[in-house]
Structures are given as structure tokens and as C-alpha cells.
Amino acid sequence: QVQLVESGGGSVQAGGSLRLSCTSSSYAVYTTTVAWFRGTPGKEREGVAAISGNTTLYYADSVKGRFTVSRDAAKNTVYLQMNSLQPGDTGTYYCAAGRRGVGDRLTSSTYLYWGQGTQVTVSS
């Protein structure tokens, strides 16, 4: 199966920054739609950001102006730069790929392939 690998999570104070990375040895994440989701216990995974054809970007309202998704084709890596972090951003962040048809890019059921997640904790 296609495997995605996330990295870059950690624990920071409110107002801090982190950069998450998503890569795969078996999928071209540098050219297809790739999304980031945040999961918390007992809740459905929330779409955070996505990058699609022609570098079109999508963001949840809660992160607009603070998060930026990008990718590096040479490294087959997608990034999520997270600035001005706040406690509400805490959760496990997952990289998703393999979009189904024309599904909404910030809906979890849209994607076939997922990484194992990287933990982000933001304290007050």
C-alpha cells in the first residue's frame, strides 16, 4: 500500500511556529492533491489545509493567515508551515493523499492514503 510519513511535530508555547513535512517513497505527493488534517480524541478529523493542481491552496477558516501549505518537487515533500500557534491547534496532524473523484479537499473521506500522524501540542 501507499505509505505517507509525517514529521516535524512537537510542543510549543502559544505564538510559536512549527513546520510539518509529509513525504512518500511510493506516491508522487509533489504533483497530486495532498491535504493536512488534525485529529483529536473523539472527534472527526478536521481538514486544515490542502494543495492541489497548479498549486491551488485551500485552508480551513480557523488557520487562514497563520498556516501555509507548500511542496518541493525535488524532495517529493509537502510542508505545512504553522505560525502564531494557539492551544486550539493542538492535535495529531495527518497527511492525506489519493483523492477520490471530486470529493471536497478538506473532508477526510476524500482520501485513500494516510500517514500515521505527528503530534502537535500548543500550551498557553
Side-chain angles (χ1 to χ4, degrees):
Q1 296 182 350
V2 170
Q3 295 184 347
L4 308 179
V5 180
E6 305 98 335
S7 62
S11 181
V12 299
Q13 292 285 326
S17 298
L18 288 171
R19 188 179 73 164
L20 308 184
S21 298
C22 170
T23 191
S24 175
S25 62
S26 56
Y27 196 85
V29 301
Y30 68 87
T31 187
T32 58
T33 300
V34 177
W36 288 95
F37 289 81
R38 177 176 62 239
T40 56
K43 296 182 179 180
E44 183 178 353
R45 294 180 181 180
E46 176 185 0
V48 174
I51 183 167
S52 192
N54 299 317
T55 67
T56 302
L57 308 179
Y58 304 83
Y59 296 101
D61 289 342
S62 62
V63 307
K64 288 180 179 178
R66 299 189 297 118
F67 291 11
T68 303
V69 63
S70 62
R71 56 184 162 201
D72 185 328
K75 297 181 179 180
N76 193 37
T77 299
V78 174
Y79 302 98
L80 182 66
Q81 178 66 46
M82 306 187 294
N83 297 327
S84 301
L85 285 163
Q86 54 196 42
D89 298 320
T90 293
T92 303
Y93 283 74
Y94 300 88
C95 178
R99 181 175 175 238
R100 306 172 189 260
V102 295
D104 183 85
R105 290 173 175 83
L106 296 181
T107 298
S108 61
S109 62
T110 293
Y111 300 92
L112 292 171
Y113 311 126
W114 294 82
Q116 294 300 304
T118 185
Q119 179 66 34
V120 171
T121 301
V122 185
S123 59
S124 300

